C-alpha cells in the first residue's frame, strides 16, 4: 500500500449501484442479482420488508407473468430498475 492510500480507510463495502465507472455488463449483472434477491425475499415471506419501490417492481413482475414468460418478465423488470437508477444518477 502506498503512503497516499494508507491515509484512507474504507468503511464497509462500496455500494453496488454507485455511479462509478463500471462496465455495463457488470452493472447489468448486479441489477439481476438485486432483482433475484428481491424475488427470493418475497418468496420467503418478506415482501412487506422490501422497500416500496422493490414491492412495486415485484407487483408489476407478477402481473406480467400472466401474459409473458418468466424470462421476458424478469428482463423487463431489470430494465425498469436500471432505468430508475440511471435516472437518479443523472439528476
Amino acid at each position: 500500500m502506498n503512503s497516499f492510500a494508507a491515509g484512507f480507510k474504507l468503511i464497509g463495502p462500496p455500494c453496488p449501484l454507485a455511479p462509478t465507472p463500471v462496465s455495463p455488463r457488470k452493472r447489468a449483472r448486479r441489477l439481476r442479482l438485486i432483482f433475484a434477491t428481491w424475488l427470493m425475499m418475497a418468496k420467503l415471506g418478506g415482501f412487506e420488508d422490501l422497500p416500496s419501490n422493490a414491492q412495486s417492481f415485484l407487483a408489476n413482475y407478477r402481473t406480467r407473468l400472466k401474459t409473458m414468460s418468466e424470462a421476458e418478465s424478469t428482463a423487463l423488470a431489470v430494465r425498469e430498475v436500471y432505468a430508475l437508477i440511471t435516472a437518479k444518477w443523472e439528476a
Side-chain angles (χ1 to χ4, degrees):
M1 182 181 314
N2 64 32
S3 60
F4 180 76
F8 294 94
K9 180 179 178 184
L10 289 177
I11 301 173
C15 175
L17 297 176
T20 57
V22 176
S23 72
R25 176 180 265 170
K26 280 187 177 183
R27 184 166 288 142
R29 182 173 180 262
R30 288 177 185 172
L31 289 169
R32 284 191 301 272
L33 289 172
I34 289 169
F35 186 72
T37 302
W38 290 349
L39 277 176
M40 187 56 65
M41 286 181 68
K43 287 179 183 179
L44 294 174
F47 185 78
E48 295 80 22
D49 297 331
L50 291 170
S52 61
N53 60 349
Q55 289 179 12
S56 67
F57 284 120
L58 287 174
N60 292 339
Y61 168 80
R62 289 177 179 167
T63 303
R64 283 192 301 262
L65 281 176
K66 296 174 185 172
T67 60
M68 60 179 65
S69 72
E70 183 178 358
E72 291 172 326
S73 184
T74 300
L76 188 56
V78 169
R79 282 195 301 268
E80 289 173 348
V81 173
Y82 184 82
L84 176 73
I85 291 171
T86 54
K88 285 185 178 182
W89 287 337
E90 294 171 356

